[in-house]
Amino acid sequence: MAPVKVHMHKSQKTSDRIHRLLKENGPQSAQDLAEWLELTTMAVRQHLYEMQEAELVKAVSTPQGVGKGKGRPKKIWHLTDKADASFPDAHADLTVDLIDAIGEAFGDKGMDQLLAVRTRSQIKAYKKSLKGASNLKNKLALLAEVRSEEGYMADSIETAEGLFLVENHC
């Protein structure tokens, strides 16, 4: 897929320009990045290998494809989660702003009603996910999986005091 034309300053470091191209256009080959950046493929590869050492990108090898002749597999470069974390993310601010706006528009009763609807929806989804569990320990393990998929880095642990659901990212 050809990159979407965006304004990039040539004064930016090449690795920053590669970083941005991969973020805005998705995974790309070194050759595609080189064409976009008007550099040699080897120069781009050198930057990609440095970025790979810093755990900012990773390469996935893909076959050349039918009818394209023989040769080595093509490497497609992707940003890692570590690289994605370097981009601004205003989702949390948007969420707080929306909660404030809902409170202002509908008052405390409206906010309570909204939270009740959300809670009912979560309970329904969690019950469905836990259906196959035979005991509390299994239910807690399944709930931890579901909560981890939601981004809470949850674990179920058993101690002398009992079973616990621990959320490490909430």
Side-chain angles (χ1 to χ4, degrees):
M1 174 170 79
V4 175
K5 293 267 184 197
V6 292
H7 181 69
M8 273 198 200
H9 296 283
K10 288 203 175 200
S11 62
Q12 282 181 304
K13 290 179 10 183
T14 301
S15 58
D16 291 341
R17 294 166 66 206
I18 291 169
H19 194 191
R20 183 170 172 184
L21 279 170
L22 291 172
K23 178 66 175 176
E24 292 179 351
N25 297 291
Q28 301 283 320
S29 70
Q31 182 178 349
D32 292 338
L33 291 166
E35 287 174 17
W36 176 248
L37 295 168
E38 298 176 348
L39 297 171
T40 66
T41 304
M42 184 51 73
V44 169
R45 277 195 192 105
Q46 287 174 339
H47 287 283
L48 288 166
Y49 290 135
E50 287 173 12
M51 293 171 73
Q52 185 176 34
E53 263 189 51
E55 299 177 353
L56 298 173
V57 295
K58 62 183 175 190
V60 175
S61 294
T62 59
Q64 286 287 9
V66 179
K68 292 190 178 182
K70 295 180 182 178
R72 292 187 303 184
K74 186 176 189 179
K75 283 187 179 180
I76 302 298
W77 293 88
H78 301 252
L79 289 179
T80 63
D81 291 340
K82 182 178 178 179
D84 271 339
S86 67
F87 289 98
D89 185 354
H91 291 99
D93 293 337
L94 173 63
T95 302
V96 170
D97 289 347
L98 286 172
I99 290 170
D100 289 344
I102 290 166
E104 187 177 323
F106 301 109
D108 289 343
K109 285 185 181 182
M111 184 63 75
D112 289 345
Q113 188 176 6
L114 176 70
L115 292 173
V117 168
R118 172 71 175 137
T119 300
R120 285 192 303 271
S121 173
Q122 282 182 297
I123 290 170
K124 184 178 176 182
Y126 294 156
K127 282 183 177 180
K128 185 177 178 182
S129 296
L130 304 180
K131 242 182 187 159
S134 58
N135 58 42
L136 180 60
K137 187 174 180 177
N138 291 343
K139 286 181 181 181
L140 197 59
L142 283 173
L143 182 59
E145 284 180 32
V146 171
R147 294 291 285 170
S148 287
E149 289 171 9
E150 294 173 340
Y152 294 96
M153 295 174 54
D155 287 312
S156 61
I157 59 171
E158 186 172 5
T159 68
E161 290 84 28
L163 295 169
F164 294 90
L165 175 68
V166 177
E167 293 182 346
N168 299 296
H169 186 58
C170 58

